Amino acid sequence: MTTDEHTILNHYNIATPYPTAWPAEKDESDASDDEKLSKNVTKLNLRRSKSRYSALERSGSDRRSHIPGTEKTGDGVENLVQKDEADPLGGPESVVRALRQKGLPVEDDQRLSEIIRRKIVHANASTQSLLQGLEFLSRSIDQKSASLKVLVESNFERFVRAKTTIDNVYAEMRNQGADAPPPESSRTHSRIPSRSSVNFRNNSARGPLSPRGVNKPLPSDKKKHALTKDSEYGVQGIKAPLIDVAAKVEEIWGPALGGRDREENLKTAMSFIETNQGVFEVGKSITECISQRNYDNLAKEYFRARSYVNDVQDLAKKCVNNRTPVTGTNIYQMVATGRMWADVQDQITDFKRDIWKKLTDSHGKSTGPEGRRPAEGHMALINILLELGVEDNPIWFWLLSKYDYLKNKITSNFERSRVEIEILRRRLANMEAPSVHVSSANLNYSAKQLSQAEDLAQDTASVTELWEVIYNSIKNLLSVQGGILGEVLDFWAKAQSFTEEKTQKILPAGIDGQSRKHHRLSSDGVRDLQNGLIELVELLREDIFAFFADPPIEDISLLYSPIPPTTPSTPHSAVFSSFAHQDHRFKFDATNPPPPSPKRGEAWEEFAFWPPYANSLSGVHYLSRLLTLVTVSVTELAGMRPVASSPTTVEGLKMLIAGARERSLRAVCAAWGKDAEICKALEDWTRSKDRRDLTRMPFYFNAFENAVLAGLQKILYIQDSGASKPVPAGIISPPPSKLLQMVRTQFVTSLYKVLSGMVENAEKSSSKDNQPQESGRNGNTDNLPRVDKQSIRLLLTLSNLKAIQTNIVPSLISQFESNFSVQLTDESKTIRDVLSQIDARLFQSYTKPIVEKLSSIIYTGITSPAWVSPKDRPTEVRPYINETLLLLVSVHTEVSTTAPALLPPILTHLLEQISTAFLAAFKARTQKYPLAALMQATLDVEFVAQTMSQFTTEKASELQSQVYLELDKGTDNGARARLQSELPEMRATLKKLREGTKAEFGCFKKQRPKA
C-alpha cells in the first residue's frame, strides 16, 4: 500500500481505500459537531464548499464514540448512558415513556441514575416479577458478554498496538530533554501491523515530539516541553507568550470591541440618574443633617431612603412572582439603591452610637462647648432615637444613666467638699488664735448689724471664708435651684411623667410603629425607679447627717489621689481627678499635706462644720441658714410620693433635722459661753451719746445677747423654711426639753460671765497698755473722750449695771420667754441675785476707799488732844469736820457729773459710815466729856447731820442717837444739865455756821424742781 493510500485511510478513518457501502457509524455522527463547525465557519467568514466526503474528514486525534445512542452532556462529555432504552428487567420498551406516564417531567436530554429509574419504574413490582426480571437481565448480560468476547478476539492485536503506541508517545513526551536510551530492536509480529499504528509511527518519527526529529529543540529548551508537573505538562513554554498576546490584544482591540456596549451602558446609567436623582442625593442630605444637628430633616431623609428601598424590594418581588427578567434600568436601580442604603445604614449606625453617647452625657448640661450653643436636651435625643428605631429603650436608658449620674455626683461632691472644708479647718486651727480685742471688735460689729436686722455677721476673714465654703458646699447639695437636690427633684418629675405616660404623648411611634413598644414602662421598671429615688434620698440624707454628726475627717488624700471613673458612662463633671479644682486654697504638696488640727481642748474640735475660733454670732448666722437649707430639702424630698410612702425614709429625714439641730445648738452654746467671757473687752470706756451716765457697754451687751437669742430661736424653731410646699406634719419635731434646758442654762451663764467681766474691768487699775485705742468700724467711731480714772469707771460700771438690771435684763428675759415659749421664773430670781451681788460688790469697791478716808479723818480729829476747844463756849466746828465735808463735796461732784442717779445711795451710805465713824471715835476716847467738850461734840455731829440732812436715813439717825448716848455716858449730871441750858445758844451758832458755809456745802441742799 502506498503512502497516499495510507494518508487517505487515516484522513477519512476507513478500513479500505475502496469501500463498497457507506459506513453505518457515520450516520450516527453527533449533530453537535456540525453545529460547532458551522459556528466556527460563520465566525471566520469562510465560504468554502464542503466536500462530499466532509463527513469522513476527521483528524486522527478526533476520537468519537462509535456506539449509537450515546448521550453527550452540556459540557461536551460523552458517556455510555443512552437517552432512552428498554427496561433491562424485561419491562416496558421505553423507560422515559414510563416515567412520563407517572407524571414526572422528564426531558429527553435529562440523565437519570439507573437506580432511580429502576426504583420509579418498578416501585409497585412484586417479588416474583423482580425475580423474573433478574433472570431476564442475566440472559441479556450473557448474550452481550458473548458479543463483547467476539469483538475483543477479533480486535485484540489492534488493541495491543494502540496501547503500545500510546505508551511510546507518552514516554517520549515525558522524557523529553533527558538522555535518549539506546535503540532497541523492533519487535516483530506475526500479524500485519494496523494502519493506525503505522500512522502513529510515521507521524511521530517526523513530528517535533520525536527525539530523532529534524526539529529537535535546543538542549536548554527541552525540559520545558516535557510532559511533567514541573513544566506544567508541556504548556510552560507557551503560557507566558499567550498571556502577553492576550494582554496586547485586549489593550488594542478591547476599547474598540467594547465601546458600543459601554455606550449603551452609559446611556442607560445616565437615564437612570436623571430620573432617580433622589437616590443619589439622600446620602449627602443625611450627612448634612447630622453635621447641622437638624434632627427633623434627618428623620425625613431617612424615611425617604427607606421608601426607595421599599420600592426596589417591591420591584424584585414583582419580577420573581411574574417570572419576568430584570431590565437594565431596574438593575441599575437595584444596585444604586443598595449602595445608597448601605451608606445610609452606616451613617445612621454611627449617628445612633453618637446619640447614645450624648444621651449618657446629657445630664446636668445646659450649654454646649464654650457656652456657644445649647446642648441637645435628652428629649430631643430620645425623639430622634425613637423616630429612627432602636432595639433598646432610650427612655429607660436615660433614666438609668441619670440615676447613676446623680448617685456618683452626690458621693463625689460630698466627699470632695468634706476634704476641702477639712483642709481649711486645719489651716485655720494651726494659725494663731485672734486676740481678745479683735474678737470683741468682731462681736461688737456683728451685734450692731444683726440688731439692725441686717443679714451680716462679722468674724475674721479666715473664719468667714470657711463659713462661706461650708454654706456653699451644702447649698450645692441641697439647693432646689442649681443644686443636686434640684436635679433629683427634676429627675423624679421627668421619671414620673414617663411612668404616667404623659410625656409619651409627644414622642414619635417610629417606623411602622416599631418604637411604640418603648413608650410604656413595665411595672417592674416603675418599681425600680421608685427604689432608685429612695436610694438617692437616703444617700443625700446620710451625707448631710454625717456632715453634722461625725467628727472632722482624718484622711484628706482625695485631693492628691486620682479617682478612676466608677462606670464607663460616668460624666467627667461627676468625677474629680488629681488637683482638678483650680482654687489655689486646695493645692498643696502631696508629700507635705496640712497637719491635723492641734488638740487644745477647745469645744470646736469635735464639730466638723464649725470653723476654729469662730464666734457665736457668725455661728448662729450661718447655721440658721444651713438648717433652713436642710429643712427646705427635707420638705421637698418628703413631698415626693415614693418617699412619703416609705416610713423608714421619712423617719430618717426626721432624724436628720433633729440631729443637725442638736449638733448646731451644742456648737453655738459652746461658742456663746466663750464669747461671753470676751464681752468684757467690749467696754471701751466711752460714754454713750444718748445717756452720759452710761458707757456703750450696755448697748453692746444687749445687742450681743439679742442677736444670739434670735439666732438660737431660728435654729430651734424653723418656721419660715421657704419651701415650695408646706412642711409635712411631724417632719420638724418640737425641740426636746434637754435642748431648751441647755439654752436656759447657757443664757444665765452668759449673763453672769458678761457681768463678771464688767466688774473685772471696773476693778482693775486703768492702763493705756491694757486698753488699746481701736479705730474704724470696731473702735471709737465718735471720737469721744475715754475715761481713765478708776473711780469714774466704777461709777460708770455701777450705772451700767443699774441700767442692765432695770431695763436690759428684763427685756432679754422677756425675749427669751417669747422666743422659746418657756418661763424663766427660777432663772430670773437667780439673775436678780447675781446682779444684786455684783452691784453690792462694785458699790463697796467705790465707797470703801472714801469710807476709810472719812473714818480716818474723823477718828484722828476726835482723838486728837486739840479736839477740845479752849473756849468755854465753842462757836465753830473743828477742822476735821470741814475736811470731811469737803471730801463729801468732791464725792458729790464726781458722782453727780458721772452718774447722778447714784448720788443718793452713795451719799446716804457715806453719811451712815460717817455716823459709824463718829460713834467709833467717841467710844475710843477714855476721858470724860466736860461741858465744853460735850458742846463741841454736839456742834460737830449736828453740823454734819444738818448739812447732810437730805441724805439722812433711819440708820443714820439711829447711829446719831447712839453717838449722843455715848457722849451722855462720858459726862456727869452737871454738865448734862448745863448743856440743856446752852442748847438755844448752840442752835443759833449752828444756824450761823450753816449760813456761813452755804457756798461751800450748798451742793448737799435739796434741789428744787425746775418750773
Side-chain angles (χ1 to χ4, degrees):
M1 184 177 294
T2 63
T3 303
D4 293 336
E5 292 180 351
H6 279 290
T7 301
I8 293 173
L9 294 177
N10 290 332
H11 180 75
Y12 293 107
N13 199 13
I14 57 179
T16 176
Y18 304 104
T20 58
W22 183 264
E25 61 270 14
K26 298 301 179 181
D27 295 332
E28 302 295 333
S29 62
D30 206 345
S32 61
D33 294 332
D34 295 334
E35 294 176 1
K36 185 181 297 184
L37 180 60
S38 63
K39 288 182 180 179
N40 293 333
V41 171
T42 303
K43 282 186 177 181
L44 298 177
N45 296 323
L46 298 178
R47 298 184 178 180
R48 47 184 182 177
S49 60
K50 289 186 179 181
S51 171
R52 60 182 299 185
Y53 303 107
S54 60
L56 301 177
E57 294 179 356
R58 291 186 182 176
S59 63
S61 61
D62 190 4
R63 302 168 187 255
R64 294 187 182 176
S65 175
H66 297 285
I67 302 175
T70 56
E71 181 182 5
K72 192 172 188 178
T73 61
D75 55 358
V77 179
E78 293 184 354
N79 59 29
L80 298 178
V81 179
Q82 299 178 358
K83 296 180 180 180
D84 193 11
E85 61 181 355
D87 186 12
L89 299 182
E93 296 179 356
S94 175
V95 175
V96 173
R97 189 181 304 111
L99 293 175
R100 287 176 177 173
Q101 290 177 357
K102 290 182 177 294
L104 296 177
V106 181
E107 302 296 336
D108 292 341
D109 60 346
Q110 182 178 5
R111 292 187 301 166
L112 293 176
S113 172
E114 290 294 328
I115 299 176
I116 296 176
R117 292 187 179 191
R118 301 292 89 78
K119 281 185 177 182
I120 296 175
V121 173
H122 299 281
N124 299 322
S126 61
T127 304
Q128 185 63 32
S129 63
L130 291 177
L131 292 175
Q132 293 176 358
L134 179 60
E135 183 179 357
F136 179 80
L137 180 61
S138 300
R139 290 195 304 269
S140 300
I141 291 174
D142 292 340
Q143 293 176 0
K144 291 185 178 182
S145 298
S147 302
L148 183 60
K149 182 178 181 181
V150 173
L151 178 62
V152 170
E153 288 178 353
S154 61
N155 295 281
F156 179 75
E157 187 176 354
R158 177 183 290 183
F159 291 156
V160 172
R161 291 180 180 179
K163 178 67 169 61
T164 302
T165 303
I166 293 172
D167 291 341
N168 292 335
V169 171
Y170 175 71
E172 291 177 2
M173 296 178 67
R174 182 187 62 190
N175 300 326
Q176 187 173 4
D179 295 336
E184 297 179 359
S185 57
S186 59
R187 182 182 304 176
T188 57
H189 298 279
S190 59
R191 300 184 180 181
I192 301 175
S194 65
R195 288 179 296 274
S196 61
S197 62
V198 173
N199 183 41
F200 274 113
R201 287 192 182 122
N202 292 337
N203 292 337
S204 63
R206 298 188 301 270
L209 297 179
S210 174
R212 298 180 298 276
V214 293
N215 297 328
K216 180 178 180 180
L218 297 175
S220 58
D221 298 333
K222 291 178 180 180
K223 291 186 178 181
K224 66 181 182 179
H225 298 295
L227 196 64
T228 60
K229 184 176 182 182
D230 296 336
S231 62
E232 298 185 9
Y233 299 100
V235 299
Q236 183 177 7
I238 63 173
K239 184 176 181 179
L242 288 176
I243 293 176
D244 294 340
V245 170
K248 291 180 180 180
V249 171
E250 181 65 25
E251 180 180 357
I252 296 173
W253 293 101
L257 296 177
R260 181 170 297 178
D261 295 339
R262 186 179 303 169
E263 180 183 1
E264 295 297 330
N265 293 336
L266 288 176
K267 286 182 179 180
T268 305
M270 289 301 298
S271 175
F272 171 76
I273 292 174
E274 291 176 357
T275 57
N276 297 274
Q277 292 184 358
V279 176
F280 300 94
E281 295 175 352
V282 67
K284 181 180 178 182
S285 300
I286 288 178
T287 303
E288 292 178 353
C289 292
I290 292 175
S291 62
Q292 297 174 2
R293 299 181 182 179
N294 190 348
Y295 297 154
D296 294 336
N297 289 341
L298 174 62
K300 294 178 182 178
E301 294 297 331
Y302 182 68
F303 292 155
R304 183 157 71 107
R306 287 190 62 89
S307 66
Y308 293 141
V309 175
N310 293 334
D311 293 342
V312 169
Q313 290 177 349
D314 294 341
L315 177 62
K317 291 179 182 178
K318 184 177 180 181
C319 292
V320 172
N321 294 334
N322 297 336
R323 294 184 179 182
T324 57
V326 181
T327 62
T329 304
N330 294 339
I331 292 175
Y332 277 112
Q333 182 179 0
M334 293 180 180
V335 173
T337 304
R339 291 181 178 178
M340 175 274 296
W341 183 243
D343 176 60
V344 169
Q345 284 291 79
D346 292 341
Q347 293 190 59
I348 294 299
T349 301
D350 295 340
F351 173 73
K352 288 181 181 179
R353 188 182 304 110
D354 184 58
I355 292 298
W356 283 115
K357 184 178 179 181
K358 288 183 179 179
L359 191 60
T360 303
D361 298 339
S362 64
H363 310 301
K365 293 183 179 180
S366 58
T367 57
E370 301 180 2
R372 296 178 181 176
R373 178 170 52 187
E376 295 87 354
H378 69 282
M379 287 303 300
L381 301 176
I382 292 174
N383 272 333
I384 189 61
L385 287 175
L386 291 176
E387 199 158 7
L388 297 178
V390 287
E391 292 296 329
D392 297 329
N393 190 341
I395 299 175
W396 183 247
F397 179 84
W398 180 83
L399 291 173
L400 290 182
S401 61
K402 182 71 171 181
Y403 163 77
D404 292 335
Y405 164 78
L406 291 175
K407 189 174 181 179
N408 294 329
K409 187 174 183 180
I410 291 171
T411 303
S412 59
N413 281 18
F414 176 70
E415 294 300 330
R416 174 77 184 200
S417 299
R418 291 183 75 180
V419 174
E420 291 178 352
I421 292 170
E422 179 58 23
I423 288 175
L424 294 181
R425 283 189 79 259
R426 291 187 179 186
R427 288 177 176 170
L428 186 57
N430 285 282
M431 295 171 60
E432 185 179 355
S435 65
V436 174
H437 295 289
V438 172
S439 300
S440 63
N442 291 326
L443 288 176
N444 181 12
Y445 183 76
S446 298
K448 288 180 181 179
Q449 300 300 323
L450 295 176
S451 65
Q452 296 173 5
E454 295 185 14
D455 191 16
L456 178 65
Q458 175 64 26
D459 213 321
T460 62
S462 300
V463 171
T464 304
E465 177 188 22
L466 182 51
W467 272 124
E468 288 294 333
V469 170
I470 293 173
Y471 178 76
N472 290 330
S473 298
I474 302 302
K475 185 178 179 181
N476 289 337
L477 281 175
L478 301 182
S479 176
V480 178
Q481 301 294 333
I484 297 180
L485 174 62
E487 294 187 42
V488 173
L489 297 175
D490 181 67
F491 163 70
W492 177 244
K494 293 176 179 177
Q496 194 172 16
S497 66
F498 281 123
T499 56
E500 295 176 357
E501 299 185 9
K502 296 179 179 178
T503 307
Q504 285 86 328
K505 296 178 181 179
I506 61 175
L507 293 179
I511 302 170
D512 300 331
Q514 295 177 0
S515 298
R516 199 178 300 278
K517 62 182 179 182
H518 298 318
H519 288 190
R520 188 179 186 86
L521 298 179
S522 63
S523 57
D524 293 338
V526 175
R527 192 180 306 108
D528 292 341
L529 282 176
Q530 294 174 350
N531 294 335
L533 175 67
I534 293 177
E535 289 182 13
L536 294 178
V537 172
E538 285 292 332
L539 189 59
L540 275 174
R541 184 196 67 80
E542 291 172 0
D543 288 346
I544 300 302
F545 186 82
F547 176 73
F548 281 98
D550 292 350
I553 60 175
E554 299 294 337
D555 184 13
I556 60 172
S557 61
L558 178 65
L559 279 187
Y560 53 87
S561 296
I563 301 177
T566 54
T567 59
S569 61
T570 301
H572 181 70
S573 61
V575 179
F576 293 96
S577 60
S578 178
F579 302 114
H581 203 289
Q582 297 301 317
D583 197 331
H584 65 88
R585 298 173 298 178
F586 310 114
K587 290 184 177 181
F588 54 86
D589 187 3
T591 61
N592 187 25
S597 302
K599 301 297 182 181
R600 303 190 183 99
E602 298 285 350
W604 48 260
E605 293 176 2
E606 64 173 305
F607 301 108
F609 59 88
W610 189 273
Y613 312 122
N615 60 46
S616 57
L617 294 180
S618 64
V620 296
H621 171 72
Y622 282 100
L623 287 178
S624 61
R625 295 172 64 189
L626 285 175
L627 289 178
T628 299
L629 270 178
V630 173
T631 305
V632 170
S633 63
V634 168
T635 302
E636 297 291 345
L637 293 174
M640 293 186 289
R641 189 185 307 167
V643 177
S645 59
S646 175
T648 305
T649 306
V650 173
E651 188 63 28
L653 294 176
K654 293 180 183 178
M655 292 177 60
L656 170 60
I657 294 180
R661 177 174 59 187
E662 180 177 353
R663 293 282 291 178
S664 300
L665 186 64
R666 291 184 181 277
V668 170
C669 287
W672 190 9
K674 187 79 173 178
D675 293 342
E677 297 177 0
I678 301 176
C679 277
K680 64 182 180 181
L682 292 174
E683 182 60 84
D684 56 3
W685 299 116
T686 303
R687 298 193 184 192
S688 173
K689 293 188 297 182
D690 298 331
R691 291 188 58 180
R692 303 295 296 173
D693 59 335
L694 302 176
T695 65
R696 296 189 290 194
M697 177 63 184
F699 168 75
Y700 297 156
F701 167 69
N702 184 44
F704 168 71
E705 292 291 338
N706 274 322
V708 174
L709 292 177
L712 287 175
Q713 194 268 343
K714 292 179 181 179
I715 292 176
L716 284 178
Y717 299 95
I718 308 173
Q719 299 176 356
D720 186 14
S721 64
S724 60
K725 55 187 71 174
V727 180
I731 289 293
I732 304 178
S733 59
S737 58
K738 67 175 183 177
L739 297 184
L740 292 175
Q741 185 60 39
M742 184 191 307
V743 177
R744 296 169 69 166
T745 304
Q746 193 60 45
F747 174 64
V748 177
T749 303
S750 68
L751 292 180
Y752 179 77
K753 289 182 178 181
V754 173
L755 296 175
S756 298
M758 294 173 63
V759 174
E760 181 181 350
N761 289 337
E763 289 181 344
K764 69 181 180 181
S765 60
S766 63
S767 174
K768 293 185 179 181
D769 296 335
N770 296 332
Q771 298 292 333
Q773 294 285 343
E774 300 288 345
S775 61
R777 68 184 182 188
N778 298 332
N780 191 343
T781 59
D782 302 322
N783 296 321
L784 297 175
R786 290 166 53 89
V787 176
D788 296 327
K789 188 177 181 181
Q790 185 176 5
S791 60
I792 296 179
R793 289 185 176 184
L794 286 170
L795 288 174
L796 290 174
T797 304
L798 279 170
S799 181
N800 291 340
L801 286 174
K802 289 293 184 182
I804 290 174
Q805 185 176 12
T806 305
N807 300 321
I808 296 177
V809 169
S811 174
L812 291 176
I813 292 175
S814 176
Q815 179 184 354
F816 189 98
E817 293 176 346
S818 175
N819 288 351
F820 304 107
S821 302
V822 294
Q823 295 295 324
L824 298 179
T825 305
D826 298 336
E827 288 80 0
S828 299
K829 184 177 182 300
T830 302
I831 293 172
R832 286 193 296 269
D833 294 342
V834 170
L835 284 171
S836 299
Q837 294 173 8
I838 292 175
D839 182 75
R841 177 180 172 181
L842 283 178
F843 192 85
Q844 287 297 325
S845 297
Y846 178 76
T847 59
K848 185 178 180 180
I850 302 174
V851 169
E852 290 177 351
K853 191 173 183 179
L854 290 172
S855 299
S856 176
I857 293 172
I858 293 172
Y859 183 82
T860 302
I862 292 176
T863 58
S864 174
W867 174 67
V868 179
S869 177
K871 298 179 181 181
D872 295 336
R873 291 182 180 180
T875 57
E876 57 184 12
V877 296
R878 303 307 291 168
Y880 80 92
I881 294 298
N882 291 326
E883 186 179 358
T884 299
L885 290 176
L886 287 176
L887 179 58
L888 290 178
V889 170
S890 64
V891 171
H892 184 281
T893 302
E894 185 178 70
V895 174
S896 61
T897 56
T898 303
L902 297 177
L903 185 61
I906 291 176
L907 291 181
T908 298
H909 176 72
L910 293 178
L911 180 59
E912 291 175 354
Q913 295 302 317
I914 289 173
S915 301
T916 302
F918 277 133
L919 181 60
F922 286 129
K923 287 182 178 181
R925 287 181 62 89
T926 58
Q927 300 90 348
K928 292 292 184 177
Y929 296 105
L931 178 61
L934 191 59
M935 292 178 63
Q936 186 65 52
T938 303
L939 190 61
D940 291 346
V941 172
E942 281 296 325
F943 182 77
V944 172
Q946 290 183 13
T947 302
M948 303 292 296
S949 61
Q950 181 182 350
F951 306 102
T952 301
T953 61
E954 292 182 1
K955 183 178 181 180
S957 300
E958 184 180 353
L959 290 172
Q960 189 175 359
S961 300
Q962 291 179 8
V963 169
Y964 289 136
L965 291 176
E966 186 65 26
L967 292 174
D968 187 65
K969 291 179 182 179
T971 187
D972 52 12
N973 292 329
R976 189 179 301 112
R978 292 174 58 188
L979 179 62
Q980 294 295 326
S981 62
E982 294 290 337
L983 287 179
E985 185 66 21
M986 291 179 63
R987 290 190 182 96
T989 302
L990 283 173
K991 184 176 180 181
K992 185 178 179 180
L993 289 174
R994 290 190 60 192
E995 290 292 334
T997 59
K998 183 182 296 185
E1000 290 86 350
F1001 307 125
C1003 61
F1004 299 122
K1005 187 178 180 180
K1006 185 176 182 181
Q1007 301 292 331
R1008 294 180 180 179
K1010 296 181 180 181

